């Protein structure tokens, strides 16, 4: 990896590692992650705590569930969020049992989406 003149893949790897490093502030090492570039060179590495590993696992399960649930849908690349709608969504989602939904998503993404729909529809008038 050329750190002085990184290409797009290098930047993606570094951004990914930055997100991993920001998972928690726990410094107890439970494992290490090494990211390799396309030709096998080490792009980045980091120590991870047990909490980091749990958070990353849940986040990837959620990403997989979202990918499965939205298969075939075409999202605009740079869609702007309406700040009022975003605030409404955040207020609506306060109190969701995210651990339950993440565990369910890891087991069956479609059931997680159905559970989310059921939970969020209960509060509608």
């Amino acid at each position: 990896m050329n750190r002085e003149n990184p290409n797009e893949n290098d930047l993606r790897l570094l951004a990914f590692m930055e997100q991993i490093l920001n998972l928690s502030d726990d410094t107890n090492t439970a494992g290490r992650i090494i990211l390799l570039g396309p030709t096998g060179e080490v792009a980045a590495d980091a120590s991870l705590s047990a909490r980091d590993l749990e958070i990353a696992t849940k986040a990837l399960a959620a990403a997989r569930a979202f990918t499965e649930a939205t298969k075939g849908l075409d999202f605009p690349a740079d869609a702007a969020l309406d700040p009022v709608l975003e605030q409404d969504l955040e207020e609506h989602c306060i109190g969701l049992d995210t651990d339950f939904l993440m565990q369910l998503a890891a087991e069956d993404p479609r059931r997680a989406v159905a559970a989310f729909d059921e939970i969020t529809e209960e509060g509608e008038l």
Side-chain angles (χ1 to χ4, degrees), residues 10 24 29 32 55 63 70 81 84-87 100 102 121:
D10 295 337
S24 79
T29 301
R32 292 189 59 78
I55 292 168
T70 59
L81 293 177
V84 174
L85 291 177
E86 184 178 12
Q87 180 64 33
F100 166 75
M102 290 302 157
E121 287 172 1

Side-chain angles (χ1 to χ4, degrees), residues 32-116:
R32 292 189 59 78
I33 186 168
I34 299 171
L35 297 179
L36 302 177
T39 59
E41 75 279 6
V42 174
D45 70 315
S47 296
L48 300 174
S49 68
R51 175 121 174 93
D52 296 333
L53 294 169
E54 291 168 4
I55 292 168
T57 301
K58 287 179 181 181
L60 289 171
R64 187 184 78 215
F66 177 78
T67 300
E68 288 294 320
T70 59
K71 236 179 220 171
L73 297 178
D74 188 26
F75 292 104
D78 294 323
L81 293 177
D82 179 325
V84 174
L85 291 177
E86 184 178 12
Q87 180 64 33
D88 286 348
L89 178 63
E90 287 176 5
E91 287 177 15
H92 189 70
C93 291
I94 290 173
L96 288 179
D97 185 349
T98 55
D99 287 335
F100 166 75
L101 290 172
M102 290 302 157
Q103 181 180 0
L104 191 57
E107 296 167 9
D108 184 352
R110 286 182 177 75
R111 280 185 51 216
V113 171
F116 176 82

